Amino acid sequence: MADRVNGPSLRAVIADDQALVRTGFGMILAADGIEVTAEAADGAEAVAAVRRTRPDVVLMDIRMPRMDGIEATRRILGDEGPGDTRVIILTTYDLDHYVYAALTAGASGFLLKDVTPEHLVAAVRLVRSGDALLAPTITRRLIERFAHREEPRPPTLHRDLSGLTPRELEVLRLLATGLSNAELADRLFLSPTTVKTHIGRILSKLDLRDRVQAVVLAYETGLIAPGDPTPETG
């Protein structure tokens, strides 16, 4: 079935251990022309469903039996997984501490389970287009809350920042402080288009999916630390 708004069919997998959630979200997506290619009741089923149907987007619950949503996300987005699939994490509580682990595993953002139908559909379309679901300020608040806790953490995103130009490093530092593209443009005296170009180059050079991963990386590599003031620009 063709996607009503964007032309080509948009395909999704829904992974949640509650049948009512899967059914409800499936009905919402289907009503807007988004094809639900499979449902999964646990992480292992989600991984199998994604490898079988190769959807554009996965709505992934975190707390599921057999395999949780974090491990499932890691496997789906790993080297052996489909390269174009995006994962949106479903959570019951705002800033659930599992969400940080899911973001470092490569998820493109998160939604609360009480999301409105309109917001759910918009979120699926947004991440399918290659953007990140989290507002920069929410991303920073999430990462600052959990990035340096003394608890087991998933493997760090290892990237060499030496390939970035001084301007790109500056953009990455400011991006990690929670500034939007418009705010970055004002701070750096650049056009929004130029800022977008810089961010695109940063993501390409560091092999990152979106700005959420860029913010995670900035903290994980020590480029910026929780509580650091917004860098001055010169």
Side-chain angles (χ1 to χ4, degrees):
M1 178 167 55
D3 184 300
R4 290 182 189 175
V5 177
N6 294 335
S9 178
L10 198 166
R11 306 166 78 241
V13 163
I14 302 172
D16 195 289
D17 61 348
Q18 298 181 49
L20 188 60
V21 172
R22 298 195 305 271
T23 300
F25 279 13
M27 291 175 64
I28 292 169
L29 297 181
D32 207 75
I34 297 172
E35 178 186 359
V36 177
T37 61
E39 295 182 6
D42 60 52
E45 288 184 8
V47 173
V50 170
R51 289 176 177 171
R52 185 176 67 252
T53 68
R54 296 188 176 272
D56 300 293
V57 178
V58 182
L59 294 173
M60 179 77 75
D61 188 21
I62 289 181
R63 303 175 188 181
M64 294 185 291
R66 288 214 295 164
M67 180 189 296
D68 66 23
I70 297 170
E71 180 59 25
T73 296
R74 190 174 293 119
R75 295 192 186 191
I76 288 168
L77 300 179
D79 292 338
E80 75 283 4
D84 295 330
T85 298
R86 306 281 173 147
V87 175
I88 299 174
I89 294 298
L90 300 173
T91 182
T92 306
Y93 304 103
D94 187 16
L95 296 185
D96 185 311
H97 72 278
Y98 292 109
V99 174
Y100 172 71
L103 293 180
T104 62
S108 294
F110 75 94
L111 287 173
L112 297 181
K113 287 190 179 181
D114 62 357
V115 62
T116 65
E118 294 78 14
H119 192 184
L120 175 65
V121 170
V124 170
R125 295 192 187 285
L126 179 68
V127 299
R128 194 271 188 112
S129 72
D131 208 343
L133 184 58
L134 294 179
T137 51
I138 296 175
T139 309
R140 186 188 187 199
R141 182 160 56 99
L142 176 70
I143 293 170
E144 286 197 346
R145 180 169 175 180
F146 299 114
H148 290 271
R149 286 192 170 187
E150 295 300 323
E151 60 184 33
R153 296 189 359 215
T156 298
L157 285 168
H158 293 291
R159 298 289 188 277
D160 183 1
L161 301 184
S162 63
L164 300 183
T165 66
R167 176 61 98 182
E168 288 165 352
L169 281 170
E170 186 177 33
V171 170
L172 181 56
R173 285 193 191 95
L174 290 171
L175 184 66
T177 67
L179 298 184
S180 67
N181 283 8
E183 291 168 333
L184 283 167
D186 288 341
R187 176 64 66 93
L188 297 171
F189 303 103
L190 299 172
S191 71
T193 300
T194 301
V195 167
K196 188 173 181 180
T197 298
H198 280 309
I199 293 174
R201 287 174 179 165
I202 291 168
L203 298 182
S204 177
K205 287 183 178 181
L206 298 179
D207 192 24
L208 300 173
R209 281 187 185 82
D210 51 45
R211 66 190 298 145
V212 173
Q213 281 199 311
V215 175
V216 170
L217 181 66
Y219 283 94
E220 294 280 10
T221 59
L223 184 65
I224 191 167
D228 281 356
T230 301
E232 295 295 330
T233 57

